[in-house]
Amino acid sequence: ETGVTQSPTHLIKTRGQQVTLRCSSQSGHNTVSWYQQALGQGPQFIFQYYREEENGRGNFPPRFSGLQFPNYSSELNVNALELDDSALYLCASSSRAITDTQYFGPGTRLTVL
Amino acid sequence: AQTVTQSQPEMSVQEAETVTLSCTYDTSESDYYLFWYKQPPSRQMILVIRQEAYKQQNATENRFSVNFQKAAKSFSLKISDSQLGDAAMYFCAYRRGGTSYGKLTFGQGTILTVHP
């Protein structure tokens, strides 16, 4: 069984740029959630995708957007990057047909200069 | 809104000893799930244990067990026979039940150090 994977591992961008982060869900999972984790803090929920539709959103501005593809992989896009967007971005996959427990990928470390 | 509080920023334990990490939460819901996740320096968030609120019995996974006090809204994690590999940041998390919306609300985390 393949776990959740994310790419890239690290990324450095400058303020104002745009970034795309990618996540492949665990085999058999149809739901992907994205979280932002600032250094030394707990993760904060950004949004969740189920069957290619956004299914809930946290307190993040519209410049944070996402996609889910037919194979249930997902992208997180952030436009007009700000310094405060520097964080670890975690993707988690789950399956409503089973326990709905979320399993996390290794994360993407984004640094905005 | 649901909140999760971990009041111990840091804890330490000697190898082979037992340690308990505290977590309290606030919710008006009766159907929910609670989790403990471990995040080692490698960053990957690893599920340690899960508890359904409707279950009276405390969850146990090998050396890890919880003390779930629903009325007190308390959910502590006990690690027995601590090992060096248990050193990590531990997060308590809450998810509302009875809905397809699976947002996790996390606490601030507790850094656990294990001394040899």
Side-chain angles (χ1 to χ4, degrees), chain B residues 93-113:
Chain B
Y94 166 99
R95 183 177 84 74
R96 180 181 163 193
T99 174
S100 58
Y101 178 43
K103 165 189 171 181
L104 286 172
T105 300
F106 286 86
Q108 307 93 316
T110 297
I111 298 172
L112 177 66
T113 302

Side-chain angles (χ1 to χ4, degrees), chain A residues 104, chain B residues 35-49 63-64 77 79 83-92 106 110 112:
Chain A
F104 284 82
Chain B
F35 305 85
W36 279 98
Y37 282 90
K38 164 186 175 181
Q39 188 176 40
S42 66
R43 307 179 327 201
Q44 181 139 14
M45 196 77 75
I46 301 165
L47 177 68
V48 175
I49 202 163
R63 298 182 294 108
F64 299 88
L77 174 69
I79 306 173
Q83 300 175 0
L84 295 177
D86 295 333
M89 176 82 99
Y90 285 80
F91 290 97
C92 177
F106 286 86
T110 297
L112 177 66

Side-chain angles (χ1 to χ4, degrees), chain A residues 80-101:
Chain A
L81 283 167
E82 301 178 359
L83 297 179
D84 285 349
D85 295 334
S86 295
L88 180 67
Y89 288 85
L90 296 167
C91 163
S93 76
S94 55
S95 173
R96 293 183 183 180
I98 311 174
T99 64
D100 212 12
T101 295

